[in-house]
Amino acid sequence: MREFDAYFLMEEKDVIEYAREKLSLFQDDSSLHCKEIGDGNLNYVFRVWEEDGSASVIIKQAGHTARISDEFKLSTNRIRIESSVLMLHHKLAPGLVPDVILYDDVMNCCVMEDLSSHQILRTALLDKVKFPLFVDHVTTFMVNTLLLTSDVVMDHKEKKERMKNYINPELCEITEDLVYSEPFNDYKVRNDLSSLNKAWIEENIYGDPKLRLEAAKLKFSFMTNAQALVHGDLHTGSFFVTKDSTKVIDPEFAFYGPMGYDVGNILANFIFAWCNTDAVMEDGEEKASYLAWIEETIEGIVDQFSSKFLEAWENHATDIMAGEKAFDTWYLRTVLKDSASIAGLELIRRIIGIAKVKDITSITNENDRARAERICLTVGKTFILEADRFQSGHDFLKALKNEASLEVLKGD
Ligand code: SR1
Ligand code: MG
């Protein structure tokens, strides 16, 4: 039996051996099965289960390059960050994060609770399933993990220690490039434009100096505003869900950054889900009902986040100046403004850049897909250029519905 005392990238048969050697979960004489189930851009995710169904786990291993492309050379340190953040989030947001069973710094893997009763939220949204508790869960998760890791609540020296532990230069560089730089430049190596929107993007994104200036300001804010421990990649592929349970996974991009990074990402990804629904469902009651649920979700994320944020501030703020009258509402306004800008960046980069989303790429009709892309691009621009005015769920939704109803998007 191998001892797994030197790193190598495991295959399914190795993972079975690894699980037997490292975990006391499985009976010695049981027959174990393993399947690689990862569909993310970076790592390998294996499910291991006992044939009689009595025990199972997830084992996630980091390689030296990203799965999406060998061009991204990455340190395996990301799995340390991910394991450690999962454990911290588990404490800060009980019930909303999977249990970590083992972190192995030799094999660079994290063993965690199997969530096979759950499904990835993005996949469920593509299947048009509703999750009425999601807003409550995601807003509790964001308020607890963001506000409670910030200077508003934490002892400032402890917070700085925590910042050190979560310095994440390589994955931050991916975000700096893919979210903040490449979508605004004619970066032919990795950008991938659809033929129907190419000319529009060249003129209205690459060619808009006002937009590029805002993107530059936002990039420097991302790199310097160490406000809270953000998840850093809170899209709909980072949630496992059932009707009554939500588990937030994959915090490998976590670092101390602007709170709005997480709020903006989840909002943008529900806009992708809206565009997919708009494009693929037949007009009628079912479509109207599903669009209405997504719209309620978008509004609810902003409004419940805001009310829970102010309540948690009231209950947990420790800094003496944080108690100044109206400072809490001023601070929240800045977070919502950042959320709008960052939602805009996410909407634009998933259309122009290398890392696309299935909500849009799976729209088979070319004209419908181009219209969906154009809605994302124009809403994204509005969020960035007019970020100040997005302070309620209604504000976000109105911009989406307004851009989506414009005739120009329908015909050209
Ligand atoms: C090279 S990684 C590409 C994207 O996948 C991740 O989920 C992040 O969103 C990243 O930008
Ligand atoms: Mg991920």
Side-chain angles (χ1 to χ4, degrees), residues 9 50 112 154 214 279-280 325 355 368:
L9 207 51
E50 220 158 33
M112 64 190 112
M154 284 190 76
E214 290 314 306
V280 306
K325 193 166 180 314
D368 292 345

Side-chain angles (χ1 to χ4, degrees), residues 107-123:
M107 292 304 292
N108 295 308
C109 59
C110 174
V111 181
M112 64 190 112
E113 175 188 1
D114 181 22
L115 296 169
S116 57
S117 55
H118 293 59
Q119 66 179 143
I120 288 289
L121 177 59
R122 192 185 306 281
T123 314

Side-chain angles (χ1 to χ4, degrees), residues 1 3 22-23 35 72-73 112 175 190 206-207 220-221 253 257 271 284 296 343 362 376 382 403:
M1 182 68 87
E3 285 179 0
K22 296 283 181 181
L23 309 171
K35 188 169 167 31
F72 298 95
K73 309 264 180 269
M112 64 190 112
T175 304
R190 287 208 286 243
Y206 301 158
F220 280 75
S221 162
F253 282 80
I271 292 178
E296 273 163 39
S362 67
C376 296
T382 306
E403 299 300 342

Side-chain angles (χ1 to χ4, degrees), residues 125-244:
L125 296 176
L126 290 171
D127 290 341
K128 310 306 168 204
V129 186
K130 295 177 186 169
F131 295 92
L133 299 180
F134 180 74
V135 168
D136 181 34
H137 292 163
V138 72
T139 51
T140 298
F141 173 83
M142 291 194 293
V143 168
N144 290 12
T145 58
L146 298 174
L147 192 62
L148 303 190
T149 59
S150 74
D151 279 307
V152 176
V153 173
M154 284 190 76
D155 170 84
H156 305 324
K157 290 205 285 293
E158 276 174 30
K159 182 239 175 183
K160 288 177 179 74
E161 281 302 319
R162 197 174 266 173
M163 279 171 64
K164 272 203 288 195
N165 194 32
Y166 297 123
I167 285 182
N168 198 352
E170 288 171 342
L171 294 215
C172 282
E173 186 182 43
I174 292 182
T175 304
E176 287 151 25
D177 291 344
L178 297 194
V179 179
Y180 290 88
S181 302
E182 293 173 17
F184 301 95
N185 291 285
D186 194 356
Y187 190 75
K188 292 204 170 57
V189 187
R190 287 208 286 243
N191 285 352
D192 180 12
L193 314 188
S194 69
S195 55
L196 294 182
N197 279 318
K198 188 169 182 287
W200 191 92
I201 290 168
E202 283 165 354
E203 184 181 339
N204 296 283
I205 305 285
Y206 301 158
D208 184 341
K210 270 199 191 146
L211 181 71
R212 295 165 59 106
L213 172 62
E214 290 314 306
K217 292 180 198 166
L218 289 165
K219 181 175 183 181
F220 280 75
S221 162
F222 177 82
M223 295 190 292
T224 56
N225 181 6
Q227 196 171 29
L229 181 64
V230 300
H231 176 286
D233 202 21
L234 203 59
H235 55 75
T236 46
S238 294
F239 293 87
F240 262 123
V241 286
T242 65
K243 282 279 178 194
D244 41 32

